[in-house]
Amino acid sequence: STNEVGDGGSIYVTESSETNGRSISIQNCQFLNNKAAEDNSIISCMRNELIIHSCNFEFENNKHQKYVFIKLTRLESNIKLENSTFQKNSVEGQLIEDFVLPKILTMKTTNVIINDCTFKDFGNKAIEINNEKSSLDSLQFTNNDISGSNEFLYLTNILTSPKISGNIFHDFQINSFDFIIEIDHNVQEILLEDNTFKVFIRESSTNSGVGLVFRRNDNALFTLIFINCNFHDIENRNENNDHQNGGAFQYGIYDFMRNVNIKFESCQFSMNKCTHGKGGALSVSIDNDLTITDCIFKDNYAPQDGGAIYIDPSSITSAKTTINNCTFENCISPLPINYQELEVHQA
C-alpha cells in the first residue's frame, strides 16, 4: 500500500520509559512505495536498538518530497542493518533525474552495523551519522553493494576508527557532488580493506577520482591505509586544473587533506584514466609520507605526467615516499612518473 503521512510513513516507534529502551526487530518485511512528509522518515524509532534483517525497501516516482527510509532520534540508539535491499522501482521510460531520491539512514549514533546490504539509487548523503555523544562505540560498514549518483557515506564527529571492508562501490556517475565517502573524525588511523571501486565516470565537480575524503577535526596528523583494495575502470573527465589530476584517486588538493600519511598495500589499479590531467591512477599532494607496497598498476592512462602515479612536489617538506615491490604494466603517459625534486626511498 502507499502511505503518505508525517513521520514514520510506515512505522513510528515511540520512546520507552524503561532505562534500556527495549529493542525493536523488523525481519523479512517488504516496504513498497511508502512515503513520508518532507525530511521525515518511513521508519522512525525512538528506542535504544533497532534491528532490520532481510527486508526490501523500494520506492516509486517522487518529484516533490525528500525523505529518509530510517531515522533514529535518541543519542543512545543503536542499529543493526543486515541483508536488506534499498532500490528504486524500475519504471520503463523514466530517468533517474526525474526522481527526488530518498536517503537511507540518519541518526546521532552509538553503535552502527551495516552489513551485506544492497543500495541502489539514493539521495545525497544517503547514510548520515552525526555523532553528538562524547564517544562512539563501534561503526561497521561491511560487505555491501553500492551504486548510484550521489554521496553515500557522510559521517561527522567520528571518535572511533570505522571498519570499512568488503564493500563494492560501482557504476557511479558523478556530476554534481564531490565525494562518495566523507568522514570528519578524531582518530589516529582510518583503514579501508578489501573494498572495490569500479566503473566510475566523473564529469565535473570539485574533486577527482572516486571521491574519498577524511578530515581530522583538529587537523592533527593521522594515517590513511588501503589494504587489498581494487580500483578499476575509473575515469576522471574533469577539465578544471585543480581537479583534473588522478584518474582513480586524488588526495591533498585542499589544505585540510594534506596532514596525513597514506599507505597502499596489495592494491590493484587497472584501466583508470584522467582525460585532461596527470596521474592515470593516483595523484598525491600531501605533506607527509606516502607508501605504496606490493601494488599492481595496469593499463592506466594520463595525457600529461604520470601514466600511473603523479606525485606533486609543491607541498613536500621532509616527506618520504616509498614505492616497493610494485608492478607497472602498460601504463601510458607522454612523460614518465613525475618525481621532479622528490626524494624516493625504495626498501
Side-chain angles (χ1 to χ4, degrees):
S1 63
T2 299
N3 307 315
E4 193 159 1
V5 294
D7 210 3
S10 292
I11 299 174
Y12 186 91
V13 183
T14 61
E15 189 169 3
S16 172
S17 59
E18 298 185 11
T19 304
N20 292 329
R22 291 187 178 180
S23 172
I24 301 296
S25 179
I26 303 171
Q27 301 184 40
N28 303 305
C29 292
Q30 301 281 332
F31 293 85
L32 306 176
N33 305 330
N34 301 287
K35 295 183 179 68
E38 183 82 8
D39 294 326
N40 283 310
S41 59
I42 302 303
I43 298 176
S44 180
C45 182
M46 297 184 184
R47 300 295 175 90
N48 275 18
E49 183 177 48
L50 175 62
I51 299 169
I52 297 178
H53 194 282
S54 300
C55 292
N56 179 40
F57 295 79
E58 294 187 9
F59 61 94
E60 62 179 359
N61 188 0
N62 174 36
K63 293 186 176 181
H64 306 291
Q65 296 165 320
K66 58 178 182 179
Y67 57 88
V68 59
F69 280 117
I70 304 164
K71 180 169 67 175
L72 287 82
T73 57
R74 288 172 60 97
L75 288 179
E76 299 81 8
S77 293
N78 305 324
I79 187 168
K80 182 181 289 186
L81 176 59
E82 295 185 302
N83 194 35
S84 295
T85 299
F86 298 79
Q87 62 186 347
K88 176 180 67 66
N89 281 340
S90 297
V91 179
E92 188 174 353
Q94 289 246 315
L95 300 175
I96 190 68
E97 289 81 0
D98 294 333
F99 289 80
V100 176
L101 300 173
K103 298 176 70 163
I104 307 298
L105 169 69
T106 60
M107 62 183 298
K108 300 175 183 178
T109 76
T110 51
N111 291 323
V112 181
I113 297 174
I114 301 175
N115 179 62
D116 199 26
C117 293
T118 298
F119 304 94
K120 184 178 181 181
D121 299 327
F122 38 78
N124 200 36
K125 299 180 180 178
I127 295 178
E128 183 172 354
I129 299 174
N130 179 20
N131 180 40
E132 295 184 8
K133 296 190 68 177
S134 59
S135 64
L136 177 65
D137 297 322
S138 67
L139 176 56
Q140 176 181 327
F141 187 77
T142 51
N143 306 314
N144 301 291
D145 185 295
I146 308 99
S147 59
S149 57
N150 281 301
E151 181 171 350
F152 185 67
L153 278 180
Y154 179 71
L155 315 178
T156 60
N157 195 31
I158 301 305
L159 304 178
T160 189
S161 295
K163 181 178 183 181
I164 304 174
S165 66
N167 304 291
I168 300 176
F169 298 84
H170 64 97
D171 295 286
F172 272 77
Q173 182 80 26
I174 304 175
N175 293 319
S176 59
F177 71 101
D178 296 335
F179 314 111
I180 62 165
I181 298 177
E182 184 175 2
I183 301 179
D184 293 346
H185 65 92
N186 274 316
V187 301
Q188 298 293 324
E189 181 178 291
I190 299 284
L191 170 63
L192 285 80
E193 186 170 11
D194 297 319
N195 297 288
T196 294
F197 305 88
K198 66 179 183 179
V199 193
F200 280 62
I201 296 176
R202 180 179 288 276
E203 294 286 357
S204 63
S205 71
T206 56
N207 206 272
S208 305
V210 297
L212 307 172
V213 64
F214 307 91
R215 299 184 189 90
R216 176 130 180 174
N217 293 333
D218 58 3
N219 202 33
L221 177 65
F222 74 100
T223 300
L224 174 60
I225 304 173
F226 296 87
I227 298 179
N228 198 33
C229 290
N230 182 19
F231 298 80
H232 174 75
D233 194 13
I234 301 166
E235 182 177 358
N236 177 12
R237 297 178 181 175
N238 247 323
E239 297 184 44
N240 183 315
N241 287 335
D242 291 334
H243 309 289
Q244 64 186 15
N245 297 337
F249 180 83
Q250 181 190 49
Y251 213 85
I253 190 169
Y254 301 115
D255 289 343
F256 67 80
M257 300 170 70
R258 292 181 182 270
N259 195 20
V260 59
N261 296 315
I262 298 180
K263 297 180 181 180
F264 291 96
E265 299 178 10
S266 302
C267 295
Q268 296 187 30
F269 299 83
S270 58
M271 295 180 62
N272 305 296
K273 61 182 177 180
C274 55
T275 56
H276 299 282
K278 305 171 184 178
L282 299 177
S283 176
V284 181
S285 309
I286 59 176
D287 292 338
N288 298 285
D289 295 347
L290 170 64
T291 305
I292 304 173
T293 306
D294 298 322
C295 292
I296 296 173
F297 296 84
K298 183 177 180 180
D299 298 323
N300 301 287
Y301 168 80
Q304 300 182 37
D305 299 349
I309 303 171
Y310 176 76
I311 301 171
D312 182 359
S314 63
S315 65
I316 300 300
T317 54
S318 59
K320 180 175 73 172
T321 292
T322 301
I323 301 174
N324 179 47
N325 201 36
C326 295
T327 298
F328 296 83
E329 180 180 352
N330 198 35
C331 295
I332 301 172
S333 172
L335 296 175
I337 294 176
N338 187 341
Y339 296 122
Q340 294 185 15
E341 299 175 358
L342 180 70
E343 182 181 2
V344 177
H345 303 255
Q346 290 187 315

